Amino acid sequence: MGDERGLQAEQEVGRINAFFPILPTLGNRWAASRPWEGTTIGLNLHVTPLSASLLRELALGGATCIVSSANPATTDAGSVELLRGSGVEVYTGGDLENRYLQVLDHGPSLVVDSGFELIATLLDKRAGMVGKIKGAVELSRTGIARLRARGPVPFPVVNVSDGRLKDAVENRHGVGEGVWQAVSLLTGMHLSGRRAAILGYGPVGRGLAAYGRAAGCAIEVVESDPIRRLFAHYDGYPTPGLGDALSRVRIAITATGRKGAIGVHDLASARDGLVLLNAGHGGDEIDVDAIRTAAVRADNVADQVVRYRLESGARVTLLGGGNPLNIVLNSGSPEPVVLHFAVVGLALERLAGEARLANGEVVVPE
Ligand SMILES: NC(=O)c1ccc[n+]([C@@H]2O[C@H](COP(=O)([O-])OP(=O)(O)OC[C@H]3O[C@@H](n4cnc5c(N)ncnc54)[C@H](O)[C@@H]3O)[C@@H](O)[C@H]2O)c1
């Protein structure tokens, strides 16, 4: 059974590379130049066939990769097997902090993070290691916000989240396509004529709105920032308040990067049958714990589909446990993420080179 899952992940990596071979192309280059010969890289990533594709090419360049899975809910068991089978250490168990410490115990000199949790653990709990860190790469917008809130960091942190590719391709098109595909797969709902609310009108929200509209949904946008709300308005979407939208729409998707964007109190007058899901980085944009506690009944409708009956009588269906749905289902075209990972590999190549980048946040060079 285990081998079978690993084989499936391997086939998926093969399929990705067959139609979009940017990572193996780079891997061939790295196999010749060996930029990470003798280097240990610690990575905190969603463990999926996509990240497995990157790790395979980093190993060709001489790297010893040690991985912590960024979120148990997005961890693909087959990819874990595939990686372990090829000698990559992957930590998935225990509490998150232990996973980070386990990675750091291998003494990496390069770090890749997705949410600034591995880097924060390094700074707070393994300060003695800081001198040997050549640099880090942060993948997510949430992680960059945490980096900026923290202040100076004594090594370079390449911000690939604000590179020109990430927003325009991955956040907008990758998530936009993948999340709607996941909604269709999990619910079987045809999207034409459905009314849906998108919370947040950053690149992710814009993509969700555009792909939802293209699929025939009537999209409404809930956005706390007045300028972005205006963008949504001029893109032709109604921009109601949250309570108003939830009383009307059939589907609501969070893409805010903020904890508790939908709390249980927001559901007081929700439409019966509302489907809730998250596209943002973490698993906390929808206050799932509070919904579970407040529900008078919960039914497992299908894998990743739980329906709660609230005190008001309304039924609310949560997809993917409130985790980023496209990642949970590994849905959508792999191309945008693979492009993003190619940039991560190039940033690691740059950090491993002779010339040291300045400490602190460094926007990825073009
Ligand atoms: N699922 C994925 O594969 C994937 C991929 C890329 C990014 N992300 C994540 O998606 C999230 C959004 O990314 P982005 O690039 O659009 O970020 P962004 O910060 O540019 O946009 C978020 C928007 O949400 C708005 N917002 C904040 N709180 C709100 C609230 N309570 N109600 C309504 N609007 C609110 C903000 O004003 C902002 O305009 C981030 O967490 C990011 O890490 C997920």
Side-chain angles (χ1 to χ4, degrees), residues 46 139-143 161-162 166-167 170-172 174-176 179 198-208 221-226 228-229 242 254-262 278-282 285 323-328 337 340:
H46 296 288
L139 274 69
S140 76
R141 169 131 314 145
T142 304
S161 177
D162 288 319
K166 172 87 160 70
D167 270 3
E170 192 205 329
N171 290 26
R172 193 158 163 192
V175 186
V179 164
I198 309 298
L199 275 76
Y201 202 61
V204 171
R206 285 177 73 187
L208 287 165
V221 172
V222 178
E223 167 58 67
S224 53
D225 175 74
R228 285 208 163 156
R229 198 157 60 237
L242 179 59
T254 47
T256 67
R258 304 297 190 288
K259 189 174 173 177
I262 295 184
N278 171 44
H281 165 77
E285 292 201 26
N323 294 293
L325 197 66
N326 57 320
I327 307 179
V328 173
V337 181
H340 180 46

Side-chain angles (χ1 to χ4, degrees), residues 209-232:
Y211 278 79
R213 177 186 263 173
C217 277
I219 299 289
E220 305 187 4
V221 172
V222 178
E223 167 58 67
S224 53
D225 175 74
I227 302 293
R228 285 208 163 156
R229 198 157 60 237
L230 203 62
F231 292 165

Side-chain angles (χ1 to χ4, degrees), residues 138-150:
E138 171 55 56
L139 274 69
S140 76
R141 169 131 314 145
T142 304
I144 292 301
R146 289 176 183 158
L147 165 70
R148 289 175 185 162
R150 183 170 182 113

Side-chain angles (χ1 to χ4, degrees), residues 65 74 108 141 173 195:
C65 293
T74 60
R141 169 131 314 145
H173 293 282
R195 192 171 290 281

Side-chain angles (χ1 to χ4, degrees), residues 189-195 212 214-218:
M189 285 197 295
H190 200 289
L191 298 172
S192 275
R194 304 280 182 190
R195 192 171 290 281
C217 277

